[in-house]
Amino acid sequence: MVALLPRLRRFAHALARSPSDADDLCQAAIERAINARASWQPGTRLDSWMYRIMRNLWIDTARASNRRAATFVSAEHGEYVGDRGDRAIEASVELGQVMRAMEALPLEQREVIALVLVEGLAYKEAAEMLDIPMGTLTSRLVRGRAALIERLGEAA
């Protein structure tokens, strides 16, 4: 499970729209997996099991936040004050543009893009993990890629 942490964090960041929410989501998923470790079947893919736990937690969290309807400004907005050098600033700006473009996508497209394009899962694995038909996955992926390209083209 420790070896999966970087991948789980990336997936959490793709689902959540703030770094702190992503960290909380990742921690909650790991905690739930540890508590439910008896339900994992040896011989099956641990990463798919963990992604599914995280996705279900995210859905629960999103539903709860919709009920609350409270908006807070994240503490991370003031985190990067000062000069970090030209390359770091450019990379940060580009990453910010990509993250904003990802955030603008519907959740269904964000999860597919995160699993296939960021995490490198095969289409079949991602479709099984999300419990959707292969055609639905490819359709969401095509629409998500096109929307990202369009949004990133506007940002340039």
Side-chain angles (χ1 to χ4, degrees):
M1 191 180 301
V2 172
L4 289 175
L5 284 177
R7 294 174 59 198
L8 292 172
R9 290 194 75 221
R10 282 192 303 265
F11 186 54
H13 280 271
L15 295 177
R17 294 184 180 193
S18 78
S20 61
D21 288 345
D23 289 341
D24 290 345
L25 177 61
C26 192
Q27 181 177 347
I30 291 167
E31 181 181 347
R32 184 171 285 183
I34 289 171
N35 289 336
R37 65 185 172 270
S39 67
W40 178 66
Q41 298 172 358
T44 61
R45 292 193 52 156
L46 180 62
D47 59 346
S48 294
W49 185 67
M50 291 295 302
Y51 285 138
R52 181 160 292 201
I53 289 172
M54 186 174 290
R55 180 176 180 256
N56 290 340
L57 275 169
W58 176 248
I59 291 169
D60 293 346
T61 303
R63 286 178 182 155
S65 67
N66 285 341
R67 282 186 222 114
R68 272 188 251 111
T71 305
F72 298 97
V73 177
S74 70
E76 290 79 22
H77 284 213
E79 192 172 296
Y80 298 109
V81 176
D83 185 13
R84 297 182 295 164
D86 289 349
R87 287 185 185 168
I89 290 173
E90 289 173 11
S92 177
V93 168
E94 289 175 11
L95 180 60
Q97 290 171 343
V98 171
M99 292 302 291
R100 281 190 296 280
M102 283 282 289
E103 289 172 5
L105 296 176
L107 176 61
E108 293 83 14
Q109 292 175 7
R110 267 197 336 262
E111 6 180 70
V112 169
I113 287 174
L115 290 174
V116 175
L117 299 181
V118 177
E119 293 303 321
L121 290 181
Y123 287 19
K124 182 178 179 183
E125 293 172 327
E128 288 173 0
M129 199 217 78
L130 296 172
D131 197 27
I132 59 175
M134 181 76 76
T136 301
L137 179 117
T138 55
S139 175
R140 288 177 184 176
L141 190 58
V142 167
R143 286 193 314 266
R145 279 183 183 155
L148 274 178
I149 290 168
E150 181 180 326
R151 285 184 172 86
L152 291 173
E154 293 171 1

